[in-house]
Amino acid sequence: MDLEIIVNQKTLDGGLNIIQLETAVGAAIKSFNNAMGVNVPRSRFLPVKTSSDLLLVMSNLYSLDAGSLTMSKKREFPTTPHVKLGSSFTKVQEFLTRFESIPDMLELDHLTVSGDVTFGKNVSLKGTVIIIANHGDRIDIPAGAMLENKIVSGNLRILDH
């Protein structure tokens, strides 16, 4: 099949610039006569391409039922919250070290996190939550915290003594 090549320029951890070549198999539909597309709703298709997607599927928004992820019946709205995690969360290993446990997100509408931010155990996020750590600063969301319609910025460290 004559498929278009997609060129993605990337930079590896060591700073080496590379070019990734790929094809979109969905583009092959043009190679078949009378082919038709099917619109699959997001509820049946949960791609995990980013750490933001990973946070959603690891959260209590979804449960595994007979091999399928299904939206929790405890969520009031059937829509998925909008989650945007910054570059400190990009790599899976970094992502995992930033959460003592995945926050309760059943009542979350929107989450934006940027900078050096960590989450303690049993954190609950509701409504719209924006957390922005200044460059060189760190924000630790303490265990048991409940953030509802909050903006947290600057730095916040709570240390045991």
Side-chain angles (χ1 to χ4, degrees), residues 42 46-62 69 80-86 89-90 92 95-96 98-106 108 110-113 117 119-120 123 125 129 131:
R42 176 96 173 155
L46 291 170
V48 178
K49 292 187 167 200
T50 66
S51 56
S52 299
D53 297 333
L54 181 60
L55 179 61
L56 287 168
V57 298
M58 288 179 69
S59 75
N60 60 344
L61 288 168
Y62 295 98
L69 284 176
T80 304
H82 180 76
V83 173
K84 184 173 182 187
L85 300 177
F89 292 80
T90 302
V92 173
F95 168 90
L96 293 173
R98 295 188 173 279
F99 296 96
E100 285 189 49
S101 68
I102 301 299
D104 174 349
M105 297 171 47
L106 285 175
L108 181 68
H110 180 107
L111 173 66
T112 298
V113 182
V117 178
F119 293 81
V123 171
L125 305 171
V129 178
I131 306 169

Side-chain angles (χ1 to χ4, degrees):
M1 286 186 203
D2 183 23
L3 300 178
E4 283 185 42
I5 294 177
I6 301 166
V7 178
N8 290 322
Q9 296 191 17
K10 299 190 175 211
T11 303
L12 298 178
D13 286 342
L16 179 64
N17 291 324
I18 63 166
I19 297 174
Q20 174 184 341
L21 303 175
E22 60 183 71
T23 58
V25 75
I29 194 169
K30 69 183 179 187
S31 300
F32 299 93
N33 294 330
N34 301 317
M36 296 172 53
V38 177
N39 186 7
V40 178
R42 176 96 173 155
S43 61
R44 299 214 29 216
F45 176 66
L46 291 170
V48 178
K49 292 187 167 200
T50 66
S51 56
S52 299
D53 297 333
L54 181 60
L55 179 61
L56 287 168
V57 298
M58 288 179 69
S59 75
N60 60 344
L61 288 168
Y62 295 98
S63 60
L64 192 58
D65 182 30
S68 295
L69 284 176
T70 57
M71 181 72 74
S72 172
K73 290 176 176 52
K74 295 177 183 175
R75 182 158 170 86
E76 238 177 270
F77 306 105
T79 57
T80 304
H82 180 76
V83 173
K84 184 173 182 187
L85 300 177
S87 59
S88 296
F89 292 80
T90 302
K91 299 203 178 302
V92 173
Q93 189 59 37
E94 292 172 336
F95 168 90
L96 293 173
T97 62
R98 295 188 173 279
F99 296 96
E100 285 189 49
S101 68
I102 301 299
D104 174 349
M105 297 171 47
L106 285 175
E107 296 179 48
L108 181 68
D109 296 318
H110 180 107
L111 173 66
T112 298
V113 182
S114 179
D116 188 2
V117 178
T118 61
F119 293 81
K121 288 184 179 181
N122 303 317
V123 171
S124 180
L125 305 171
K126 299 179 181 187
T128 297
V129 178
I130 301 170
I131 306 169
I132 301 171
N134 295 333
H135 181 73
D137 288 335
R138 179 171 162 173
I139 295 177
D140 296 324
I141 305 300
M146 194 277 288
L147 301 177
E148 182 172 5
N149 297 320
K150 299 288 185 208
I151 297 174
V152 180
S153 65
N155 64 30
L156 172 66
R157 305 271 328 252
I158 298 175
L159 305 172
D160 291 331
H161 65 288

